[in-house]
Amino acid sequence: MSNIGKWLLIGLLGASALSYAKGDEQSMVVSDGPYIKKQKGELSVECVINSQAKRYQGLSFIARMQIDHCGYPVTLSNIDFIEKTTLIYNTKQRVVATSDFHGQYAIMKRLLQSNGVIDRDGNWALGKGHFVITGDIFDRGAKVTEILWFVYQLEQQAKAAGGYVHLLLGNHEVMVLNGNLRYLHPKYIDVARILETPFELLFDKGSVLGDWLRSKPVLVKINNMLFAHGGFHPELVEQKLTLAMINKSFKENLVEREITGPRDDLGQFMHKSKGPIWYRGLLKDNGATSAEIDLLLKHFDVEHLVVGHTSQKEVLTKHQGRVIAIDSSIKRGQYGEVLIVDGDKKWRGTLDGKQLPLKNRD
């Protein structure tokens, strides 16, 4: 490959791809981490700094300890996570929702600052409000680890303020946990090689981020809105499944190598095209009918189904406002929006903090 070709490749992949224009010249460096594991009452930390593996053993956990070993400082305030089983919330506070960050750390921070979720220093600013991320932090972009730790820390700050961060699992979280790495940014291929660990095992059981992700639900209901990454297939109504039943089956079948035997029939349903992380029928012309959407709303006792997964140019509504699409194509690294709900009012918040009306795109 020519020098011009190499630099074009770097430009396409982004600055942090760095080590993928291989050739005679010295490749650029990559840094990532920390990846923290719990081992016999102690912590081990590993990361990549300037394309070199760094490992630190025998750390004792202290509440709110600072991990500065890897260039990205992490305030470690919790390492043991309880399965998130509370799926229904009622609040008079503001609700902000977005989806599909896909490793775009800079866009994410700018978007959240512009819309009052975080302050200029990156700290929680939503008070007792609720912030919902309907999955897909992983894959495509080069700043996945930074976003994971950022959301981890933001969750703790929100809790201290009486607020909530609801991180839901998307199809890309589930893919990575199961070793399906086909959308992985090249940076992380190098990270796994340097650390001599399959990438999915960096999030294995016993790792702080891995256990944290495994504690997350696949859906949440706030007031009259039901959130999930992909959506809700009408067959869920036919099977008379409750939110708790959907979440329980999904989570029991989350990581195939960790369950005894194959996924059961309901588990297979939950993790295939009709399940809550893959279903696109709420936003596709040949998907759920208006009558089926009404059945879903009645069954789950909500007025709106709020989903990501299917990219749009902006946050918008479908089916006369009954479906709200919040994947605003942040993954492209150029733009993004949030859904803002305050009482009965709903609008979209732009990257520059403008508050614009929701458009219906039937």
Side-chain angles (χ1 to χ4, degrees):
M1 181 184 292
S2 69
N3 287 337
I4 293 174
K6 291 173 186 178
W7 287 109
L8 283 174
L9 178 60
I10 289 174
L12 288 170
L13 293 175
S16 58
L18 296 182
S19 55
Y20 309 103
K22 305 289 188 183
D24 295 334
E25 297 85 356
Q26 183 178 359
S27 63
M28 293 192 180
V29 297
V30 59
S31 296
D32 186 47
Y35 296 97
I36 305 173
K37 293 185 179 180
K38 302 170 284 185
Q39 298 174 329
K40 298 179 180 179
E42 294 182 334
L43 301 179
S44 65
V45 177
E46 59 182 351
C47 50
V48 176
I49 300 177
N50 297 331
S51 295
Q52 298 295 317
K54 301 292 182 182
R55 293 181 171 88
Y56 308 88
Q57 305 286 339
L59 302 180
S60 298
F61 174 67
I62 303 171
R64 296 195 58 78
M65 68 185 295
Q66 193 81 359
I67 303 292
D68 293 321
H69 303 67
C70 302
Y72 183 87
V74 170
T75 301
L76 203 61
S77 52
N78 187 20
I79 62 172
D80 295 306
F81 307 96
I82 300 172
E83 176 78 16
K84 190 74 172 179
T85 56
T86 301
L87 304 174
I88 300 175
Y89 297 82
N90 292 291
T91 182
K92 295 181 179 179
Q93 304 294 323
R94 178 169 290 194
V95 178
V96 180
T98 188
S99 186
D100 293 74
F101 288 142
H102 282 299
Q104 298 293 343
Y105 182 60
I107 291 288
M108 178 203 72
K109 289 195 73 175
R110 180 180 165 190
L111 181 63
L112 300 190
Q113 286 172 341
S114 297
N115 290 281
V117 178
I118 60 176
D119 63 21
R120 290 183 179 181
D121 296 321
N123 297 314
W124 178 256
L126 199 57
K128 296 182 179 179
H130 292 245
F131 176 44
V132 184
I133 308 166
T134 62
D136 277 13
I137 288 174
F138 279 92
D139 287 339
R140 304 188 191 279
K143 295 286 184 178
V144 170
T145 317
E146 290 87 343
I147 296 178
L148 289 170
W149 282 120
F150 178 82
V151 174
Y152 164 91
Q153 293 175 116
L154 194 67
E155 182 181 77
Q156 303 302 316
Q157 294 175 359
K159 183 178 179 180
Y164 295 86
V165 172
H166 304 281
L167 173 61
L168 309 183
L169 296 173
N171 62 301
H172 285 268
E173 279 73 49
V174 177
M175 288 169 68
V176 168
L177 290 176
N178 281 279
N180 184 339
L181 308 178
R182 68 181 184 269
Y183 294 106
L184 202 62
H185 189 283
K187 168 186 173 180
Y188 296 106
I189 297 173
D190 252 18
V191 167
R193 175 184 58 78
I194 293 166
L195 294 179
E196 300 179 320
T197 304
F199 186 71
E200 67 272 20
L201 296 188
L202 295 174
F203 302 92
D204 208 1
K205 279 187 173 181
S207 68
V208 173
L209 287 177
D211 287 352
W212 178 66
L213 287 168
R214 283 167 176 76
S215 74
K216 300 306 175 189
V218 74
L219 56 86
V220 67
K221 177 180 174 182
I222 304 176
N223 298 336
N224 63 358
M225 301 171 290
L226 179 57
F227 298 82
H229 180 66
F232 299 89
H233 194 279
E235 286 184 27
L236 297 172
V237 178
E238 297 173 18
Q239 298 183 50
K240 298 180 180 180
L241 296 174
T242 65
L243 299 181
M245 292 165 66
I246 294 168
N247 191 64
K248 183 174 184 291
S249 175
F250 186 91
K251 295 301 296 296
E252 286 178 346
N253 292 275
L254 181 62
V255 182
E256 287 190 280
R257 68 179 179 275
E258 295 171 5
I259 60 178
T260 56
R263 288 173 174 155
D264 58 29
D265 290 344
L266 184 55
Q268 290 279 2
F269 179 94
M270 291 298 168
H271 283 270
K272 290 192 174 181
S273 61
K274 295 180 180 179
I277 62 171
W278 287 104
Y279 184 57
R280 297 186 191 270
L282 299 178
L283 299 174
K284 296 291 187 179
D285 293 336
N286 60 348
T289 66
S290 180
E292 288 173 331
I293 289 171
D294 280 339
L295 282 175
L296 285 163
L297 296 175
K298 182 179 179 180
H299 177 71
F300 294 120
D301 190 24
V302 293
E303 295 178 15
H304 307 280
L305 301 171
V306 187
V307 298
H309 189 45
T310 303
S311 297
Q312 315 291 330
K313 292 182 180 179
E314 61 195 19
V315 172
L316 54 82
T317 70
K318 298 272 286 184
H319 302 284
Q320 299 78 48
R322 291 172 292 170
V323 176
I324 305 177
I326 61 171
D327 177 355
S328 56
S329 300
I330 294 170
K331 66 187 178 187
R332 294 176 183 149
Q334 298 176 350
Y335 185 69
E337 294 187 349
V338 296
L339 169 69
I340 303 175
V341 182
D342 205 339
D344 293 331
K345 298 178 181 179
K346 296 179 179 65
W347 62 90
R348 56 191 178 96
T350 71
L351 192 59
D352 295 324
K354 295 177 182 177
Q355 297 179 359
L356 302 177
L358 290 170
K359 298 177 183 178
N360 195 70
R361 300 289 190 187
D362 281 341

